[in-house]
Every structure is written in C-alpha cells, then in structure tokens.
Amino acid sequence: MKIIAYGIRDDEKPYLDEWVKDNSVEVKAVPELLTEDNIDLAKGYDGVVAYQQKPYTDGIFKKMDEFGIHAFSLRNVGVDNVPVESVKKYNIKVSNVPAYSPSAIAELSVTGLMSLLRRIPTFEDKMSKGDFRWAPDIAQELNELTVGVVGTGRIGRAAMDIFKGFGAKVIGYDVFRNPELEKEGIYVDTLDEIYAQADVITLHVPALKDNYHMLNDDAFSKMKDGVYILNYARGSLIDTDALIRALDNGKVAGAGLDTYENEVGIFDVDHKGEKITDDVFNNLFARDNVLITPHAAFYTTKAVKNMVQISLNNNKSFIENGRADNEVSFD
Ligand code: COI
C-alpha cells in the first residue's frame, strides 16, 4: 500500500514518520499543496491525503479516477472547499478529521475574548509608547456576561465548558440539539433570542450555503449594544462590511477573528516588506478592538498530530476496506 500526502509541513513530518513506522505503509510526503499541476505525482499510489484552504478543483479528482485512486483523506475538519459534484462523479471516497482537538479551537476563542475584555492589545500599544496609565481602558468581567454559543457540536461544547468555568452565563443555539445540554436547559429556540440576550456571541458552525453571512446588518441590529463577536469557525459566516459598520457605530464593542471571508492569500503567508492590498481586511486589522489571528486556532501539537495520524488511518482504511470511520457523506 502506498499513500501520497500533499502540503506536508515540517511540523507535521515527525507525526507522519511515527505513523509510517507504526503502520509499515509507504507514505510520500509532498510539501506543495495539491493542485491539478502536481496530481500526476499521485500516479501509482493507492490513496491521497491533503490539507489546504484553497478549493480543490474538478481536474484533481478526474486524474485521481484515471489513476484508479478513490481514497481522499483530509487532515482538517471543514469540507467546504471540496467540490461535491466532482467527488460524486468520480466516485471518490472522502474523509475528514472531525475532532482533532475541539479544545484547541475553543481555547483560542476564549483567549481572544479575554484579551479583548481586558484590553490587552490597547495596553500593549499604550505601553509600547510609554503610556502606562489605566484609564480609560476599564474592563468588563466575563463572570458578569452572557455568552451565546451558536453551534453546540464538539467545539461549541468545549467552549461552553470553559466559559462556564469563568462563571459566565451560557446560552446556546443549534438546529441539532445535544441531549445533555438540553437537560441543562441552556438552549434558546431562535438565533434572535441569542442576539437579544448575549453580551458575547461565539460562532462554532461549519460554513454552509444557508449560513453564508449569517451575521449581517439585520443580525447586528438585533444584538445588544456593545456586544463582542467571536469567529473562530469560518469567514463566510460574517458579512465583513456589516461588521465594520457595527464596529463603527458602537453596536459591536470588539471582535475576535481567526477567520476572514477572503483569507486565502493573506493568512499563513509571510507579508514582511509588502503591503496587504485588501482594504476591508486592513480596516479590521488596524483596530485595537479587533483581534485577528491567522486561522491558527487548530495549530497546536495535539491537533496537528491527530490531523496527520487520523487522516492516514482513514486513508489506509478506505484502501483496505472501502470504508473509514470519518467518511464524509455529502447527501
Ligand atoms: C479545519 O480543520 O477545517 C480548519 O479550519 C483548520 C485548518 C486551517 C487546518
């Protein structure tokens, strides 16, 4: 059995080598991301493992089919960049890693909120200029706030546990309710109730057609004044122009963002010595009440190890048995 893995970074290599040793399977590690230009390298292999934020294109799967490869395993959770029509047309089985570390994402979202509430970026900026005064940057305490968690899957639940640990009141919304949380009575019936009651709104849902720009002008208008917004999920959930308007008029007091709707080409790229030309991004980036991280919530040793090794397990299982624990159903 031979597997080819694309976009392998140096930090993933030791986990890949460990897996190869434990499983006696040949794995070729390719540093470049998977494209139609380098899919030919996969000829002669039995399965493909990949991770990237760029869309996977039809031509990739057409070639895989020609090479007799029908096992495609993602190292990440989101499948929004996989063309459903193409994988169905070429009969490609797809797996993801749905729970590489829900805490990794949850911990960074709480960190973002705490940093904003306690004005860390503002104090850093003031102190770097020699101003060590407190005022006017007084904080709010999380234990006095209501946090509205949109999406109560694994990540949302991990975030809830941490918020509860800080003493916050937590309410949740999800189309699919978790029975344990239901017993605790944390659910509200509508997003509008989240908007009306929450001092902090944190998004933990996948990107779907139905939730594109779910936080838009209308949604912001229904929120409490001075609300905090956290998006450590997918950029497309927020209409960024609407967020900027809500920051400008004070409706939104601050935003913690690990995703941005046009992030490909901005995040995980070295921009030293050059200007980022996206004015909408630059507008957000210049604000000290907007904390941006470059889609790095997943980037922990535990998560990266799981992403590499679970995706390889899935790929091996597809090749051996035609099925995998984390097969994605697109129906
Ligand atoms: C995902 O797992 O889908 C993510 O968003 C993390 C990715 C940047 C590796």
Side-chain angles (χ1 to χ4, degrees), residues 9 51-53 75-80 97 100 105 232-234 258-259 263 294-299 307:
R9 304 179 306 267
Y51 157 68
Q52 62 199 45
Q53 281 160 284
R75 301 202 288 288
N76 62 308
V77 53
V79 292
D80 38 302
V97 186
Y100 46 78
I105 320 296
Y232 290 72
R234 280 294 181 267
D258 191 49
T259 55
E263 69 187 48
H295 208 133
F298 81 99
Y299 198 50
M307 291 165 104

Side-chain angles (χ1 to χ4, degrees), residues 10-57:
D10 287 350
D11 54 78
E12 294 178 299
K13 202 71 190 18
Y15 305 124
L16 188 144
D17 292 342
E18 185 181 75
W19 187 89
V20 167
K21 210 163 127 229
D22 292 349
N23 289 272
S24 309
V25 172
E26 184 184 329
V27 180
K28 180 177 172 64
V30 179
E32 287 76 33
L33 301 181
L34 175 57
T35 65
E36 290 183 30
D37 293 335
N38 61 20
I39 184 65
D40 284 348
L41 295 174
K43 199 171 178 178
Y45 286 83
D46 304 297
V48 172
V49 168
Y51 157 68
Q52 62 199 45
Q53 281 160 284
K54 271 193 183 158
Y56 298 100
T57 55

Side-chain angles (χ1 to χ4, degrees), residues 46-313:
D46 304 297
V48 172
V49 168
Y51 157 68
Q52 62 199 45
Q53 281 160 284
K54 271 193 183 158
Y56 298 100
T57 55
D58 183 88
I60 292 173
F61 301 103
K62 186 168 186 283
K63 280 281 182 74
M64 276 174 57
D65 187 34
E66 275 168 34
F67 300 156
I69 305 172
H70 295 96
F72 182 60
S73 299
L74 300 171
R75 301 202 288 288
N76 62 308
V77 53
V79 292
D80 38 302
N81 56 350
V82 175
V84 178
E85 299 283 287
S86 308
V87 291
K88 283 189 171 169
K89 181 167 57 178
Y90 300 115
N91 206 15
I92 308 284
K93 286 183 182 291
V94 179
S95 61
N96 67 348
V97 186
Y100 46 78
S101 176
S103 325
I105 320 296
E107 286 183 10
L108 191 67
S109 54
V110 179
T111 304
L113 176 66
M114 290 314 294
S115 182
L116 288 166
L117 286 178
R118 302 313 299 253
R119 308 280 189 272
I120 304 292
T122 307
F123 280 120
E124 271 183 356
D125 184 49
K126 278 168 59 167
M127 292 170 76
S128 72
K129 294 175 183 141
D131 181 356
F132 284 53
R133 289 174 297 179
W134 305 319
D137 301 301
I138 195 158
Q140 281 170 286
E141 294 184 30
L142 180 50
N143 63 73
E144 294 190 306
L145 303 182
T146 298
V147 180
V149 179
V150 179
T152 59
R154 294 180 184 91
I155 299 173
R157 293 205 299 278
M160 280 181 164
D161 286 344
I162 308 176
F163 285 124
K164 285 184 203 156
F166 273 91
K169 177 178 174 192
V170 174
I171 56 174
Y173 174 80
D174 204 316
V175 191
F176 305 103
R177 293 188 172 195
N178 175 279
E180 290 304 310
L181 294 179
E182 182 102 63
K183 273 189 233 151
E184 285 179 37
I186 63 106
Y187 282 113
V188 292
D189 294 328
T190 61
L191 277 172
D192 281 2
E193 286 169 80
I194 293 271
Y195 300 154
Q197 295 174 34
D199 303 296
V200 177
I201 295 174
T202 184
L203 305 177
H204 297 294
V205 288
L208 305 168
K209 268 197 210 106
D210 292 352
N211 61 22
Y212 178 75
H213 282 185
M214 64 179 283
L215 298 195
N216 53 20
D217 285 313
D218 182 50
F220 287 121
S221 73
K222 294 173 181 164
M223 295 176 193
K224 288 171 99 167
D225 290 338
V227 65
Y228 283 86
I229 302 293
L230 305 176
N231 186 5
Y232 290 72
R234 280 294 181 267
S236 63
L237 300 172
I238 298 186
D239 174 348
T240 315
D241 291 326
L243 173 63
I244 288 174
R245 286 189 283 276
L247 285 157
D248 282 343
N249 66 26
K251 173 59 83 175
V252 171
L257 307 174
D258 191 49
T259 55
Y260 165 58
E261 55 184 324
N262 297 315
E263 69 187 48
V264 175
I266 298 181
F267 290 166
D268 201 26
V269 172
D270 185 356
H271 295 285
K272 270 197 252 40
E274 70 180 35
K275 262 193 166 171
I276 294 173
T277 53
D278 180 332
D279 291 338
V280 176
F281 177 80
N282 289 338
N283 178 314
L284 287 176
F285 195 45
R287 297 171 188 253
D288 63 4
N289 60 344
V290 177
L291 190 69
I292 301 182
T293 41
H295 208 133
F298 81 99
Y299 198 50
T300 68
T301 48
K302 173 177 158 186
V304 170
K305 177 176 182 183
N306 284 335
M307 291 165 104
V308 170
Q309 300 192 343
I310 295 172
S311 62
L312 285 165
N313 286 340

